[in-house]
Amino acid sequence: MDRHARWLPEMVVADECFDATGVAALLQPIVERHRRDSLRLLQILREAQDVLGYLPRTALTVIADAVGLPRARVEGVAGFYSFLHLQPVGRYRILFSDNVTDRMLGSAELMDRLCNRLWIERGKVSEDGLVSVDTTSCTGMCDQGPALLVDGRPLTRLSAERIDRIGELVRAQVAVSDWPREWFLVADNIRRRDVLLAHASAPGEAMRAAVARGRERLLQELQRSNLRGRGGAGFTTHTKWETARRAPCVDPQGGRYLVCNADEGEPGTFKDRVLLASHADLVFDGMSVAAFAIGAAQGLLYLRGEYAWLLPALTENLARRRRNGLLGVAACGQEDWSFDIDIHLGAGAYVCGEETALLESLEGRRGVPRIRPPYPAQQGYRGQPTVVNNVETLCKAALIALRGGDWFAGLGTKQSTGTKLLSVAGDVESPGIYEYPFGVAIDQVLHDCGAGNAQAVQVGGPSGSCLALHEFRRRIAFEDVPTAGAFTVFGAHRDLFEVARNFAHFFAYESCGFCTPCRVGTTLVANCMDKIAQGDGSQYDINEIFRIHRLLHAASHCGLGQTACNPLFDTLNKFRPAYERRLRSLDFAPAFDLDQSLSVARQMTGRDDPAAHFDPAGGMQPVDR
Ligand SMILES: Cc1cc2nc3c(=O)[nH]c(=O)nc-3n(C[C@H](O)[C@H](O)[C@H](O)COP(=O)(O)O)c2cc1C
Ligand code: SF4
């Protein structure tokens, strides 16, 4: 059976059809392979679902017994991740990417078309259990959308014809592995190369350079380079590595850890996808360099579930590195250093990109951000000192090991050294990856990618900032416009209210629910935006959005909640008419129609007289006696 055929169990079977003995026998190899380790719970659940099609109650009980956790804990974890299913899903599971760029390219209409062809309702499983169609947050294919995932495999550049063909293949029950191969090709779309993307080193070259320099000098070079993290926060990499290196290990038997954050969940970002697909050796070299510097014996690459299709090539690469002595005992010929890398798959949760939520997820729990301090560099994975770095940061660290800190510091600006990869998408002629020295002006990027009539650029994804025409002379740099990489362009014909509404729903969906301001606030904001979209909004709702923005900013536990209203705040300030032309009145208008809400009660009581109706002027009509 091939890897993808495993996603197609013969029949989708209901919960009661799974008997405990049969399920235990099916799952035993999985739990044994993971050494019945409760910290590997997420990986166990993912693999169990691959075998069973979904996670029936019996499977949760079997797994809970095997890893020694309460059943409720296991169910709580399974319920957290959107790629894990406690109910049967279709044998073909189709998920349309719901990023704003996919929508701009017609993804919503294409999804409706497919649902019509298959006679199913969005979000439901067809009656015969054959297929389910739904949306998921950004799949990281914004440069080649509209895109979808079918049983975890990406299909890009969708068109109406292709959708019709997909409908036929599903109805004919053709295995996904037999669908046209060219549909699954993912292009890198590298449009501008600088020092990173133009670099072609042999596997292990940077690692050998690091070992040759020795730990102290390597760290000195890193300090001189002034490398700052490329994952968003821009923390100085040298400080993080030094802290982890010097922090005492809580468990002297366990070592330090190095984690590569490949969760890349920010809508509009896809640069790490390209690095993992075409520069994996540099990524693994970067991980090895970091591990050598801090003295870690174990590296973990946290790969977002949407990129599961990259797993076979990455696993093969690691096997090759082991064969070549770059990983394992005496890695890179260092008698006193063992180092290996393990890949963990995420399961569809944006918040798991936040470094402490990621650590929770790595430890088999719900991806709820931890309270800091202690910081991961002090107490991270398994309570041990842990460095968490973005994929691109680690690639840059590999280049610094090879070419030195002064060389790197000579690129970019004083406060933002080196280069930055931008994931350019939206209303542009040439979407793809552009590498620039830090300090490049927004309008330079717009010129290079062929954005003729841009009215706005969303830099850094929904949690970043929305720049208007008068700001296009600003520069990509930590001291001006910082970004993790997303650069999404909106032409003059785009409705920025709808863009902001898409982002509001994204945050409401992705909030982990741990703290009340974010859990409730993101939903209230999404509701306000829907109300305005329906033409029922008023100035009251705009004020409400500003009020919630202040609250979220001040009271949220992590960066997700703190930044969730950024796109609304920016668009309200810079593109106010997009909101105001939708407002029904400048006074308060209720969020729902009370009389309409009473219709069910009227139906149940068999009444439709005036007294059973709500009069907006005076409440319920008086009963006529
Ligand atoms: C909600 C949220 C999502 C995040 N997602 C990612 C991500 O997908 N990839 C990433 O590298 N950093 C992400 N971060 C930032 C990480 O918490 C962390 O700062 C980063 O991995 C550190 O690596 P760096 O120092 O190399 O940038 C996210 C932060 C937040 C608050
Ligand atoms: S801010 Fe939102 S995502 Fe972050 S911990 Fe609170 S509820 Fe979870």
Side-chain angles (χ1 to χ4, degrees):
M1 210 189 301
D2 79 14
R3 203 173 68 86
H4 298 289
R6 277 193 300 128
W7 289 70
L8 289 173
E10 281 302 295
M11 271 179 54
V12 173
V13 257
D15 246 35
E16 53 278 12
C17 302
F18 286 104
D19 78 279
T21 320
V23 168
L26 276 172
L27 300 189
Q28 199 191 355
I30 297 173
V31 290
E32 294 304 339
R33 193 167 55 257
H34 291 286
R35 303 178 302 281
R36 296 176 177 263
D37 184 352
S38 63
L39 296 191
R40 303 199 52 98
L41 179 60
L42 179 56
Q43 307 309 308
I44 294 173
L45 289 169
R46 279 199 66 112
E47 291 179 28
Q49 179 171 278
D50 283 357
V51 170
L52 301 172
Y54 77 109
L55 294 168
R57 285 193 295 271
T58 332
L60 299 179
T61 308
V62 166
I63 292 170
D65 289 347
V67 300
L69 287 176
R71 229 294 297 265
R73 195 31 226 286
V74 174
E75 192 162 344
V77 172
F80 183 84
Y81 296 92
S82 67
F83 285 4
L84 297 180
H85 312 293
L86 299 174
Q87 301 293 329
V89 288
R91 277 185 277 144
Y92 293 85
R93 179 158 165 71
I94 296 176
L95 292 172
F96 280 79
S97 183
D98 200 26
N99 185 34
V100 68
T101 50
D102 293 279
R103 285 200 164 233
M104 282 154 58
L105 292 164
S107 63
E109 294 75 19
L110 292 172
M111 185 172 70
D112 287 347
R113 188 179 181 105
L114 185 62
C115 287
N116 285 337
R117 292 284 180 282
L118 294 169
W119 291 76
I120 55 169
E121 219 178 299
R122 180 202 146 170
K124 301 253 169 75
V125 186
S126 60
E127 273 182 24
D128 56 0
L130 181 67
V131 57
S132 50
V133 177
D134 209 340
T135 55
T136 185
S137 301
C138 182
T139 55
M141 298 287 163
C142 319
D143 54 334
Q144 45 209 300
L148 59 75
L149 292 173
V150 52
D151 299 342
R153 298 180 64 182
L155 260 167
T156 59
R157 296 192 179 81
L158 297 171
S159 62
E161 296 72 46
R162 192 169 286 185
I163 286 292
D164 293 349
R165 192 74 193 101
I166 291 172
E168 287 162 17
L169 290 171
V170 169
R171 279 211 303 264
Q173 305 198 24
V174 176
V176 173
S177 50
D178 294 332
W179 292 14
R181 290 173 73 87
E182 66 274 16
W183 288 7
F184 296 99
L185 294 179
V186 177
D188 278 350
N189 288 330
I190 296 175
R191 310 287 185 183
R192 189 183 193 281
R193 293 174 195 271
D194 209 300
V195 290
L196 197 169
L197 295 175
H199 181 81
S201 67
E205 200 182 332
M207 201 177 161
R208 278 188 281 270
V211 168
R213 287 185 196 275
R215 277 194 184 97
E216 294 300 334
R217 270 207 45 218
L218 174 66
L219 282 159
Q220 281 166 15
E221 294 299 330
L222 195 71
Q223 187 170 26
R224 272 213 279 273
S225 76
N226 196 22
L227 173 65
R228 294 172 67 174
R230 297 325 199 223
F235 198 74
T236 311
T237 308
H238 170 260
T239 309
K240 199 184 269 190
W241 289 17
E242 272 292 0
T243 308
R245 180 184 174 223
R246 297 189 185 284
C249 288
V250 179
D251 169 13
Q253 301 304 318
R256 296 177 169 74
Y257 292 93
L258 183 277
V259 175
C260 174
N261 186 342
D263 198 49
E264 193 160 68
E266 191 75 47
T269 316
F270 47 87
K271 50 140 190 128
D272 293 344
R273 179 200 88 208
V274 174
L275 291 175
L276 293 162
S278 299
H279 296 264
D281 267 308
L282 199 62
V283 177
F284 290 139
D285 260 16
M287 289 181 72
S288 306
V289 167
F292 173 71
I294 65 169
Q298 182 66 54
L300 300 153
L301 184 129
Y302 187 92
L303 183 66
R304 72 185 300 224
E306 291 81 349
Y307 291 171
W309 54 278
L310 286 168
L311 189 60
L314 292 171
T315 309
E316 169 55 30
N317 188 314
L318 288 179
R320 209 167 39 240
R321 290 175 82 89
R322 277 180 208 115
R323 284 197 299 276
N324 295 338
L326 295 174
L327 291 175
V329 179
C332 206
Q334 288 293 290
E335 287 306 324
D336 60 344
W337 184 47
S338 299
F339 177 62
D340 212 324
I341 295 175
D342 196 8
I343 302 177
H344 281 236
L345 267 180
Y350 163 67
V351 69
C352 288
E354 195 281 338
E355 59 187 6
T356 61
L358 185 149
L359 293 173
E360 286 292 295
S361 184
L362 276 176
E363 292 183 8
R365 289 191 282 273
R366 295 161 71 91
V368 174
R370 293 178 181 173
I371 292 167
R372 295 180 298 180
Y375 292 94
Q378 301 162 308
Q379 280 177 42
Y381 185 63
R382 293 176 183 254
Q384 303 286 83
T386 303
V387 160
V388 182
N389 272 138
N390 172 256
V391 176
E392 186 186 343
T393 313
L394 291 165
C395 288
K396 298 277 159 66
L399 294 184
I400 292 163
L402 271 168
R403 303 179 66 173
D406 289 338
W407 163 79
F408 192 83
L411 306 166
T413 72
K414 195 159 184 299
Q415 290 174 57
S416 311
T417 54
T419 61
K420 183 75 195 89
L421 301 193
L422 298 179
S423 310
V424 178
D427 293 315
V428 301
E429 275 167 22
S430 309
I433 302 295
Y434 291 71
E435 183 184 13
Y436 289 99
F438 264 122
V440 64
I442 304 286
D443 56 9
Q444 176 70 55
V445 184
L446 290 171
H447 171 268
D448 293 351
C449 67
N453 67 346
Q455 64 166 321
V457 185
Q458 184 72 30
V459 182
S463 66
S465 37
C466 183
L467 304 180
L469 204 61
H470 67 277
E471 297 170 290
F472 289 177
R473 286 304 303 154
R474 293 183 63 185
R475 294 173 183 281
I476 300 287
F478 293 109
E479 63 272 26
D480 192 354
V481 184
T483 175
F487 190 100
T488 311
V489 180
F490 300 103
H493 57 297
R494 297 294 175 192
D495 180 352
L496 287 171
F497 170 82
E498 279 303 332
V499 172
R501 187 156 82 103
N502 174 282
F503 292 165
H505 279 276
F506 167 76
F507 285 117
Y509 179 77
E510 296 291 351
S511 164
C512 82
F514 169 73
C515 60
T516 312
C518 171
R519 184 182 64 247
V520 178
T522 52
T523 300
L524 288 177
V525 163
N527 289 348
C528 272
M529 293 298 276
D530 286 349
K531 186 181 165 199
I532 296 171
Q534 284 153 20
D536 294 329
S538 67
Q539 183 59 43
Y540 173 88
D541 300 291
I542 304 275
N543 296 344
E544 205 47 14
I545 291 173
F546 278 121
R547 197 177 64 83
I548 299 170
H549 169 69
R550 284 193 297 276
L551 180 84
L552 283 185
H553 206 74
S556 293
H557 174 56
C558 86
L560 187 150
Q562 286 154 13
T563 57
C565 281
N566 282 1
L568 284 80
F569 185 77
D570 277 353
T571 47
L572 265 166
N573 282 323
K574 299 173 192 172
F575 301 93
R576 189 66 162 239
Y579 288 75
E580 284 182 348
R581 66 169 167 264
R582 287 183 161 85
L583 301 186
R584 189 164 72 175
S585 73
L586 293 179
D587 297 326
F588 173 78
F592 65 100
D593 181 344
L594 185 53
D595 189 55
Q596 173 62 28
S597 312
L598 290 170
S599 64
V600 179
R602 282 196 295 271
Q603 243 175 3
M604 287 167 67
T605 53
R607 285 181 58 182
D608 199 23
D609 55 286
H613 281 271
F614 179 76
D615 170 12
M620 299 302 286
Q621 307 270 345
V623 180
D624 190 13
R625 292 178 195 280

